Amino acid sequence: MARFISCLVAAIAAALLAGTPVKASPAAALEHVVSVLPVWPGHQQGGAGARPGRAPEGSGVVVREGLIATAWHVIEPATRIDVRISDGRILPARLVAQDASTDIALLSIDEPIKPIEIAETQGIAQPVCAIGNAFGLGLSITCGVVSALNVSNAGFNTVEDFVQTDAAANPGSSGGALVDKDGQLVGMVSAIFASDADANIGVNFAVSSQLLLRVTEALMADGSVTYLEPGWRLNRARRSQLAEIAAPVVVSVDSGSPAERAGIKVGDQIVTIGVRRVLSPRDATAAVAILPGTTDQVSLTLQRSGETKTVLLSFAEEAAQVASQRETAKDPDCPYPEDVCQMRQSVFPVSSFDPVGSATRIADDLLVTNRHVVGNSKTATVHTPSGPKTAIVVPSAYSGDLALLQVDGLPDRSVIPALNASPAVSPERTGAFYAIGADIARKQVRVFDPGELLSPPAGDGVFARLHVTAQMQPGVSGGGLVDAAGRLVGIAVGGGDGRFEAIPLGDVSKLLDLRGDPQADRVTEELGSGFEDCAALLDASGGGQPGAPGTTDLTTICSKAANHGQLLKAGRILAQAGQFDEAIRMHGQAVAQVPNSINSRMSLLVSLQLGGRFAEMTGHARKLMELAPDDPQALRFSIQSGVWGRDIELAEDGYAALLKADPRQAQAARRFIDAAPPAPPRR
């Protein structure tokens, strides 16, 4: 079976790389790597005269003739994408497909650039070089060694199979090539592990060539990636079990699944999948993810009651079912429940202060969007199937991030969700949630990858929000968040790092009720003008460089505007400028608005740490641990805050949780608790 899988991977590589070149050197591999120059809303394009490091830029590697693999996060917000090839020419590129779970996207160009050759093997301490467009300075090469293989717990992507390296990678390197001494591809640079900045500290990650090829083949065949599902749920082994063997434990088996048919039982420990040794549930996810979607069966070993057994995991029935579903699929662009897909009719792209946003229909002539989409504009353009329509911003005394649009001529057959029929979202709520909004790259309204509930709206916040893992991206703001039954539950507002937010429908009702308030015109004008004034200061701030214009007024202007996203951005800029007390004020205001926002709480903790206010960190760190009990980053905050804030109980609670979530990181945490370095001085 191991030989079968190796041969299969080699066959995939051969199919992808028609006309493979001869072995060369890292320098010769430069001709197979490009600089990626996306145009993000509100940003200058890289390569167009901007100071290096200021404009969004990335890299890409040619995996088929004229086909480029890059990192999805580089181009996700892009309205246009160009690439600069090795001879200096800049060519337009088209987005072919993407897989957010692995952070891989494919671009095509009308230029027959030959593909890079794939390395057959990788080994620890093997010399490798990273080739990429670091800091937007053009292609360059940095070298080091392979530090680790099969890394699945870095925490950047849902599905990870990373090659770790100390070859320097910096902003702009994402999507570049990690090559061996012969210039053959070992992986695609994807992530930088940095403590306080984005710059390289010698721990960088590249998507393994094996996973890259697997995803590329699926995207080229189907436009999306379907991963095999064994039908089990795995947990980390208990400490007592780890003393015997490090392997994930089966805690449930789905009826009729490949796992059940293979005879796998609750309590079994999965030791190997195919040729890969697995130590944790994420290792198992990676081992299954690299299997081609056409895999019929794979061998695995497990341990049960001290005995080692070998079984065959068969996916043949599932493969036949998927093939049948593909043949009968009514809507290949929306592989989700029909009721969810139908809700696309309720969402329209809009242009106003933000050139690309979304709006959700709530009545015959009414749409709701985010205030940050319209700013202080009195109108917005709604893009409908019959052409653009001009919408009027309806004043309301509601002070949150929602705005009401009135427009005539919306489609008669468009779905109008019933606001009073949407269910409340409680902590016990399970099931998938879907964001629906404008996809800038595809130029259409679509349903994005589903996610789960992280936390319901907080009862003690100025503004309540739903917190989900449902994928959102620029352009989705103002779109709808729906449940698996297609019922509208909120208005998408954005987020990041796999954590996204939506404003619940109760606030939409407030927006409607406050239209007739005597203060409606004043509140709408003040918040709109305040938002635009803050946005201008944020743009002029120079990214927080000391002495840059605008930072002195950020606190006053942006605090008055009270827009949650702007508060977070202003706080980050102030912290970079060394104005820590002001940064803490901004981030504290954001947390007071939305107490259950994990991203806001983390931003506040960073500002408090930089400001040397360690005792104040402990309460926020404990709350963060409640919100994200399985998130290693949140747990590291609790440990650090507990040690330097002199709350040892907090540090020990964080350590106990981290021991369950990620035992490998827990080892370093234990050393930090037992022999803590002095708290860093205020910067």
Side-chain angles (χ1 to χ4, degrees):
M1 180 58 65
R3 184 176 180 183
F4 166 75
I5 294 174
S6 298
C7 292
L8 187 55
V9 170
I12 293 172
L16 286 171
L17 305 174
T20 47
V22 296
K23 289 184 180 180
S25 66
L30 280 165
E31 66 183 85
H32 308 296
V33 182
V34 303
S35 299
V36 177
L37 313 175
V39 179
W40 287 6
H43 290 74
Q44 186 174 352
Q45 185 180 27
R51 189 150 51 103
R54 295 298 300 276
E57 296 193 41
S59 309
V61 57
V62 181
V63 291
R64 274 190 186 180
E65 189 171 288
L67 185 72
I68 297 164
T70 187
W72 171 232
H73 72 263
V74 170
I75 61 168
E76 180 179 357
T79 57
R80 191 181 82 239
I81 306 166
D82 294 329
V83 299
R84 184 173 54 232
I85 61 178
S86 59
D87 64 9
R89 286 181 293 155
I90 295 179
L91 306 173
R94 297 176 297 277
L95 176 64
V96 175
Q98 78 283 333
D99 179 48
S101 64
T102 53
D103 193 34
I104 294 171
L106 298 179
L107 307 175
S108 67
I109 58 173
D110 295 327
E111 185 71 19
I113 302 177
K114 296 298 183 184
I116 195 167
E117 187 177 0
I118 305 298
E120 293 183 3
T121 59
Q122 301 91 41
I124 302 295
Q126 168 188 343
V128 286
C129 296
I131 306 175
N133 178 30
F135 291 112
L137 294 168
L139 296 180
S140 60
I141 301 177
T142 58
C143 297
V145 298
V146 172
S147 306
L149 293 170
N150 304 337
V151 177
S152 64
N153 65 339
F156 293 100
N157 303 327
T158 305
V159 177
E160 295 179 336
D161 185 44
F162 284 140
V163 177
Q164 181 180 323
T165 180
D166 65 346
N170 286 293
S173 300
S174 294
L178 186 70
V179 301
D180 64 13
K181 62 181 177 59
D182 296 316
Q184 298 175 322
L185 190 69
V186 172
M188 184 192 77
V189 177
S190 179
I192 306 165
F193 193 88
S195 54
D196 294 328
D198 288 335
N200 165 69
I201 58 170
V203 182
N204 304 301
F205 299 99
V207 176
S208 70
S209 57
Q210 193 172 15
L211 181 58
L212 180 64
L213 295 178
R214 156 77 171 101
V215 170
T216 297
E217 182 181 68
L219 290 177
M220 291 303 295
D222 301 321
S224 62
V225 185
T226 301
Y227 296 101
L228 299 172
E229 290 289 347
W232 59 34
R233 188 164 68 86
L234 306 178
N235 272 358
R236 290 186 173 276
R238 297 188 304 275
R239 192 162 188 169
S240 59
Q241 293 172 303
L242 289 171
E244 299 296 328
I245 187 170
V249 180
V250 178
V251 294
S252 67
V253 177
D254 295 341
S255 176
S257 66
E260 185 186 60
R261 293 197 299 270
I264 295 172
K265 301 181 181 300
V266 171
D268 288 347
Q269 287 185 269
I270 307 301
V271 180
T272 66
I273 299 175
V275 296
R276 181 169 297 202
R277 176 73 166 88
V278 295
L279 305 176
S280 69
R282 286 186 64 89
D283 284 348
T285 297
V288 173
I290 63 172
L291 297 174
T294 55
T295 300
D296 285 335
Q297 60 184 24
V298 64
S299 174
L300 62 81
T301 59
L302 57 86
Q303 189 165 92
R304 179 186 300 162
S305 302
E307 290 187 39
T308 300
K309 297 180 177 292
T310 300
V311 299
L312 283 177
L313 204 58
S314 174
F315 300 99
E317 291 185 20
E318 284 68 24
Q321 184 178 2
V322 168
S324 175
Q325 289 173 347
R326 284 176 181 164
E327 291 178 3
T328 59
K330 297 179 181 178
D331 189 349
D333 291 331
C334 188
Y336 303 116
E338 184 176 351
D339 290 338
V340 171
C341 296
Q342 188 177 23
M343 282 295 292
R344 288 176 296 176
Q345 300 175 32
S346 301
V347 179
F348 299 86
V350 297
S351 304
S352 188
F353 178 81
D354 191 331
V356 183
S358 301
T360 302
R361 192 173 186 179
I362 56 172
D364 287 340
D365 62 345
L366 291 178
L367 302 169
V368 64
T369 187
N370 294 140
R371 189 182 299 276
H372 70 254
V373 171
V374 299
N376 200 34
S377 300
K378 302 300 185 287
T379 63
T381 300
V382 180
H383 303 279
T384 75
S386 60
K389 310 286 183 184
T390 298
I392 305 299
V393 177
V394 180
S396 171
Y398 173 79
S399 56
D401 196 8
L402 289 178
L404 194 63
L405 303 177
Q406 185 171 28
V407 57
D408 294 326
L410 292 176
D412 292 336
R413 296 184 179 181
S414 171
V415 174
I416 302 177
L419 301 184
N420 58 2
S422 297
V425 179
S426 65
E428 296 78 23
R429 179 70 178 273
T430 60
F433 290 87
Y434 303 80
I436 303 174
D439 185 321
I440 296 172
R442 295 188 183 181
K443 296 180 173 58
Q444 66 182 33
V445 171
R446 75 177 181 93
V447 180
F448 290 82
D449 292 341
E452 298 177 343
L453 180 71
L454 286 171
S455 64
D460 57 345
V462 179
F463 301 113
R465 290 194 178 183
L466 291 161
H467 306 271
V468 295
T469 59
Q471 181 69 31
M472 300 180 193
Q473 66 182 42
V476 177
S477 293
L481 182 73
V482 304
D483 64 12
R487 295 173 296 189
L488 185 68
V489 297
I491 303 300
V493 74
D497 296 324
R499 299 178 287 267
F500 302 94
E501 299 175 358
I503 299 173
L505 294 186
D507 281 45
V508 175
S509 297
K510 294 177 185 176
L511 176 73
L512 292 169
D513 292 342
L514 292 171
R515 284 176 293 176
D517 190 282
Q519 302 299 316
D521 289 321
R522 181 188 62 80
V523 170
T524 300
E525 171 65 27
E526 287 184 357
L527 290 177
S529 60
F531 177 86
E532 291 196 6
D533 290 344
C534 176
L537 282 177
L538 292 171
D539 288 342
S541 66
Q545 297 301 318
T551 55
T552 54
D553 296 325
L554 270 180
T555 304
T556 302
I557 300 298
C558 294
S559 179
K560 184 177 179 181
N563 179 272
H564 187 258
Q566 287 184 328
L567 291 171
L568 292 178
K569 187 174 181 180
R572 288 192 291 269
I573 288 173
L574 289 164
Q576 284 223 280
Q579 299 178 38
F580 303 121
D581 290 340
E582 300 304 316
I584 291 166
R585 179 180 169 188
M586 292 289 93
H587 288 149
Q589 188 175 344
V591 167
Q593 281 190 355
V594 190
N596 282 5
S597 171
I598 295 172
N599 293 340
S600 301
R601 195 78 63 164
M602 285 185 174
S603 295
L604 177 57
L605 283 165
V606 170
S607 294
L608 287 168
Q609 179 180 317
L610 292 172
R613 290 160 62 169
F614 302 108
E616 296 176 49
M617 293 176 66
T618 57
H620 295 292
R622 190 169 290 282
K623 178 63 176 179
L624 180 62
M625 188 164 59
E626 293 173 6
L627 294 171
D630 300 320
D631 187 319
Q633 185 179 5
L635 299 176
R636 290 196 301 270
F637 268 122
S638 67
I639 294 167
Q640 188 179 69
S641 303
V643 169
W644 286 334
R646 298 184 179 181
D647 185 343
I648 293 302
E649 182 180 359
L650 171 61
E652 291 293 349
D653 288 346
Y655 168 73
L658 187 59
L659 193 61
K660 295 178 181 177
D662 193 332
R664 281 181 281 190
Q665 291 194 48
Q667 295 176 9
R670 184 72 264 168
R671 292 192 295 270
F672 179 81
I673 295 172
D674 294 339
R682 178 186 172 118
R683 299 190 178 191

